[in-house]
Amino acid sequence: MNDPGKIRNIALVGHRGTGKTSLFEALLYSAGALTRLGSVGDGTTFSDWDDDEKKRQMSLSAGLAHVDRGGLSFNLIDTPGDSSFVGDAIASLSVVETALVVVNSVLGVEVQTERMWGRADELGLGRILVCNMLDRERADFDKDVKSLRETFGAQVAAVQLPIGKEHDLKGVVDLLGMKAYTYEGGKATAGDIPAELADEAAAARDKLIDAIASTNDELAEKYLMEEEITAAELNGAFAAAVASAQLFPVACGSATAAVGVDRLFEVLALAPSPTVAAPRALVDADGNETVVDCDPGKPAVAFVFKTLADPFSGHVNVFRVFQGTVTSDSQISVSRDAHKERFGQLLKTMGKENKPAEALVAGDIGAIAKLKDVVTGDTLHADGVSGAFPAIAFPATLMSFAITAKSKGEEDKVITALRRLSDEDRLLEVHHDDQTGEMIVGGMSQVHVEVTVERMRRRFGVDVELKPPRVPYRETIKGTAKAEGKHKKQTGGRGQFADTWMEVAPQPRGAGFEFENKIVGGAIPRNFIPAVEKGVRAAMAEGFLAGYPVVDVHVKLYDGKYHPVDSSDMAFQIAGSIGFKAAAEKAQPVLLEPVMNVEITIPDESVGDIIGDLNSRRGRVLGTTPRGHSNVVGAEVPLAEMLTYAPDLTSMTGGRGDYHMELLRYDEVPAHLTQKIVEQAKAAKEEAHKG
Ligand SMILES: Nc1nc2c(ncn2[C@@H]2O[C@H](COP(=O)(O)OP(=O)(O)O)[C@@H](O)[C@H]2O)c(=O)[nH]1
Ligand SMILES: [Mg+2]
């Protein structure tokens, strides 16, 4: 495809289990790209081809496909909905013009769907909604549209209506063309709108045109004057309203019953092309912005949004071209550090396969293997371009686990595998704990880290042991105190001398660290002040209660002494560290713990058990609201009590529960628990020093 105006980049997003992968499958099948319709239950879908995905019947990473249909070139991306694996979904949104928001018609809008909507909104993306699973019992399209309007605003309007309900779902009415489509074995037959639906369809069409007209004066006037509006005019105005995010049309159907899928394609054909998308800008080191231009003739600019770690062939980077044309065998700069890379064969990704491509124009999506040092989030560009796209904001990891090699001597292999996998999965954070000497893997949940361990085994052939999860506690102070930090050593030759006096005081939660220099009269010469601050920061990183980083402290350096010969940066750093620890210990130190906002979706009969259980986890239940034939319990619970919630929820609900959590704030740990955490930290440190 070399006409950007004919490209449609679409990411399927939404809560886990809304049917994105099934719909992706059905779309590809309907476009003739697949010869058989796979299913999630059988592990035969095109998108969830990875063994881990098949085993869990859940998407863990984005699946890409491109299909040509009706003269347009579609790049479709199936994204994971589960909050532990949402990295690829977030990254995918930054390279498409349209989010296809998939909703479970029975449950309505779920929490992760709202999160993705928020991301799409920030990026100014077009949004098309589809109510899937209308073949299921208690699915109710009318109710869905009402609740979608309540959640996402009055620009939400149905563009289709279902024909038949639940098991009798037969087809859909297209409100733009005012035709009925009924399905038999996935094949559509066009016809007139059934008489019993005529009034409903006319009313829904009025609503749709109202919504479009409110964005388009020309159409509004024709509509008011009751002049005839041609199909082309209506489609054009519809497309413009979707592109400017002023209309969020709702389509409907069933992915697995293959109802409405080809009609959904007709709606997607009206989605914005890269040429009419919200502008995107490169930002250079001085903060200057350059808006990229979706013109194949300009210097090339591309953005890497996905990386696959392959133990044999190295990385595969998946990218979107935003300007110019990228060709095989070209040279390109990586804006992170301005190094150059030579492109080999360009590829178009099709599920787990790659097909060669000669060139990719602005607006298109493709892949490239064997680059030396390119990771997700990198901007690639030809000469004559400067700046980079802003970094993608991924959520912070929620819990961490220490990982050790099962067999001695495999430590290096573990590190290599973890580094590679964290290139692929941006929600994975890997670091070395200097205090205990362990490799620490931070992730979103226990399941997230378990999947990582399985990938290490399967792809990299290393077996590891996973220690129990850890909570990212923090330390702070509640009081104000002063202390001296003095470092003096006299061992023949030149000695070491530094003396500091500082006051520590608490800062409001989240305000961070502040260092104030109040030295007057040169008690400590200016050039040593940064060394004192460095020492304080080093002490803060180590913590003083249980080894967790110290936050939200104000440090005022107000006095000290120096020696003209023996003082040095190093001496003042050490003195700064000593002084900070001494002062902090006297200033009512406390531990802080992450408190999570938790939403648990469960059937009626489990509500009592779940609430009782939350109370025993130091949780504060905020309320229960019905959703479909389930209930959503909202609560604030310390993360320490939620580390292994998944299996507990499964056993309490017979596998019918689901939950989602995210960081809300840091709260003080109750005193009786603090004692335990401090002792455990001490024991771990001693253990590490022994081993
Ligand atoms: N009855 C029915 N089941 C569906 C439909 N779409 C998906 N499913 C089932 O719902 C489950 C979750 O689907 P999946 O495509 O994995 O959802 P995803 O997590 O959004 O990708 C699977 O068991 C599907 O077979 C639908 O339209 N109707
Ligand atoms: Mg999926």
Side-chain angles (χ1 to χ4, degrees):
M1 176 57 54
N2 43 29
D3 176 2
K6 297 241 161 74
I7 296 174
R8 301 289 181 273
N9 294 313
I10 293 160
L12 282 72
V13 297
H15 202 83
R16 186 180 100 203
T18 54
K20 295 175 294 300
T21 298
S22 307
L23 188 58
F24 186 77
E25 184 82 8
L27 284 166
L28 297 185
Y29 180 72
S30 148
L34 300 179
T35 49
R36 68 181 288 269
L37 188 69
S39 86
V40 171
D42 298 342
T44 52
T45 62
F46 179 80
S47 166
D48 286 357
W49 53 268
D50 186 71
D51 286 338
D52 293 318
E53 293 180 315
K54 284 186 196 169
K55 182 177 144 197
R56 290 170 198 269
Q57 297 197 3
M58 166 167 111
S59 310
L60 305 175
S61 64
L64 278 90
H66 64 100
V67 293
D68 292 325
R69 185 184 186 279
L72 298 175
S73 171
F74 289 86
N75 289 312
L76 301 173
I77 310 179
D78 175 29
T79 72
D82 190 278
S83 56
S84 297
F85 303 96
V86 83
D88 264 6
I90 292 171
S92 296
L93 284 178
S94 63
V95 298
V96 297
E97 284 71 39
T98 309
L100 176 58
V101 181
V102 185
V103 177
N104 172 335
S105 277
V106 183
L107 295 176
V109 175
E110 296 163 88
V111 57
Q112 201 56 35
T113 307
E114 278 189 70
R115 297 280 177 281
M116 287 300 122
W117 184 278
R119 293 263 178 182
D121 197 48
E122 281 167 21
L123 294 163
L125 301 187
R127 273 148 277 171
I128 294 171
L129 294 132
V130 56
C131 288
N132 185 37
M133 304 189 170
L134 278 166
D135 59 321
R136 283 199 179 171
E137 229 169 276
R138 292 211 233 178
D140 185 339
F141 184 69
D142 254 5
K143 214 170 117 193
D144 291 337
V145 175
K146 276 198 197 94
S147 97
L148 288 169
R149 268 177 167 261
E150 276 164 27
T151 317
F152 300 129
Q155 300 119 293
V156 170
V159 64
Q160 296 175 345
L161 289 183
I163 304 173
K165 254 182 135 34
E166 300 177 348
H167 305 300
D168 291 327
L169 179 74
K170 291 194 177 66
V172 302
V173 172
D174 162 25
L175 296 172
L176 287 171
M178 283 308 256
K179 279 237 165 322
Y181 296 83
T182 48
Y183 291 79
E184 197 70 56
K187 287 262 169 302
T189 312
D192 290 335
I193 296 171
E196 67 275 15
L197 267 177
D199 288 350
E200 201 187 319
R205 179 180 161 93
D206 273 349
K207 271 196 187 156
L208 176 65
I209 296 183
D210 259 350
I212 303 172
S214 72
T215 71
N216 186 314
D217 292 342
E218 213 175 305
L219 190 84
E221 200 168 305
K222 283 199 168 182
Y223 183 53
L224 271 180
M225 307 306 283
E226 295 186 14
E227 278 175 46
E228 201 205 332
I229 300 170
T230 66
E233 278 172 336
L234 187 58
N235 283 359
F238 176 91
V242 171
S244 58
Q246 289 177 296
L247 172 71
F248 307 129
V250 190
C252 64
S254 162
T256 48
V259 171
V261 180
D262 59 331
R263 299 320 301 170
L264 179 59
F265 249 129
E266 298 302 321
V267 180
L268 296 179
L270 297 174
S273 82
T275 55
V276 296
R280 299 241 322 174
L282 297 168
V283 186
D284 71 12
D286 301 324
N288 301 316
E289 293 195 359
T290 321
V291 173
V292 291
D293 186 358
C294 189
D295 175 352
K298 293 208 161 171
V301 178
F303 181 73
V304 178
F305 69 99
K306 182 175 162 67
T307 301
L308 281 116
D310 189 296
F312 307 109
S313 65
H315 282 359
V316 175
N317 297 115
V318 190
F319 61 89
R320 148 87 193 250
V321 186
F322 278 91
Q323 179 178 289
T325 302
V326 174
T327 51
S328 293
D329 298 321
S330 57
Q331 183 167 276
I332 203 132
S333 301
V334 183
S335 50
R336 177 167 34 93
D337 56 4
H339 81 274
K340 301 218 166 180
E341 297 261 1
R342 176 151 290 280
F343 268 24
Q345 176 67 57
L346 288 177
L347 305 164
K348 285 291 280 183
T349 336
M350 195 61 192
K352 62 179 157 186
E353 318 259 291
N354 293 312
K355 289 191 216 155
E358 268 326 296
L360 295 165
V361 296
D364 214 347
I365 289 173
I368 181 89
K370 298 194 171 116
L371 295 185
K372 289 197 292 281
D373 177 23
V374 171
V375 291
T376 299
D378 275 343
T379 301
L380 312 176
H381 62 83
D383 291 344
V385 178
S386 63
F389 289 114
I392 305 170
F394 291 107
T397 60
L398 295 177
M399 52 184 80
S400 53
F401 297 72
I403 272 188
T404 47
K406 266 209 181 122
S407 23
K408 276 254 177 286
E410 292 219 307
E411 287 77 12
D412 284 350
K413 250 172 125 182
V414 170
I415 294 172
T416 308
L418 280 175
R419 292 262 146 81
R420 291 265 185 101
L421 287 173
S422 64
D423 281 345
E424 172 172 318
D425 178 354
R426 306 305 294 200
L427 301 184
L428 205 62
E429 194 261 332
V430 181
H431 71 269
H432 186 261
D433 185 334
D434 294 333
Q435 294 207 19
T436 62
E438 295 166 314
M439 280 304 284
I440 307 294
V441 177
M444 304 306 288
S445 64
Q446 175 128 18
V447 176
H448 183 205
V449 177
E450 281 168 7
V451 165
T452 304
V453 168
E454 280 167 34
R455 283 182 176 161
M456 291 173 78
R457 182 181 313 129
R458 207 188 321 264
R459 285 201 229 160
F460 296 89
V462 305
D463 267 319
V464 295
E465 210 137 2
L466 205 56
K467 301 240 182 100
R470 293 186 191 175
V471 178
Y473 292 108
R474 290 177 184 169
E475 302 182 2
T476 193
I477 50 170
K478 280 167 70 178
T480 301
K482 292 178 179 171
E484 181 186 24
K486 190 170 175 178
H487 178 64
K488 190 176 172 184
K489 227 175 193 171
Q490 207 69 57
T491 43
R494 190 178 152 192
Q496 296 175 31
F497 182 86
D499 190 10
T500 62
W501 278 92
M502 62 183 85
E503 181 184 87
V504 297
Q507 295 243 82
R509 198 68 40 83
F513 167 62
E514 220 171 310
F515 184 83
E516 192 186 357
N517 174 20
K518 280 281 184 188
I519 297 285
V520 284
I524 300 175
R526 273 194 162 282
N527 56 317
F528 289 132
I529 306 290
V532 179
E533 179 173 349
K534 203 168 162 197
V536 170
R537 283 185 187 270
M540 285 179 66
E542 272 178 24
F544 46 81
L545 264 181
Y548 295 100
V550 180
V551 295
D552 303 338
V553 180
H554 183 100
V555 173
K556 184 163 71 186
L557 179 67
Y558 65 91
D559 203 359
K561 280 199 195 86
Y562 78 108
H563 185 276
V565 178
D566 293 349
S567 283
S568 65
D569 272 353
M570 189 39 85
F572 270 104
Q573 252 184 58
I574 296 171
S577 279
I578 294 171
F580 177 78
K581 278 188 191 149
E585 256 155 39
K586 293 195 284 182
Q588 296 178 54
V590 287
L591 267 186
L592 299 175
E593 64 177 344
V595 175
M596 312 304 288
N597 195 355
V598 186
E599 279 199 19
I600 309 159
T601 308
I602 40 169
D604 280 340
E605 61 273 17
S606 308
V607 172
D609 288 351
I610 291 295
I611 290 180
D613 174 71
L614 286 173
N615 287 327
S616 74
R617 292 175 195 263
R618 298 192 282 133
R620 195 162 76 87
V621 176
L622 303 174
T624 304
T625 38
R627 179 180 291 158
H629 42 186
S630 295
N631 288 280
V632 178
V633 177
E636 294 177 0
V637 196
L639 176 62
E641 310 287 341
M642 293 296 284
L643 289 174
T644 54
Y645 193 60
D648 296 342
L649 180 65
T650 301
S651 68
M652 282 184 290
T653 58
R656 292 169 63 207
D658 188 12
Y659 78 109
H660 170 93
M661 64 180 182
E662 63 193 5
L663 180 64
L664 186 62
R665 59 165 185 271
Y666 269 79
D667 271 357
E668 208 180 307
V669 177
H672 66 283
L673 294 175
T674 302
Q675 196 51 37
K676 240 172 73 184
I677 297 163
V678 171
E679 275 160 23
Q680 277 169 359
K682 249 197 211 147
K685 207 168 164 180
E686 274 161 25
E687 181 73 19
H689 283 299
K690 260 193 291 173

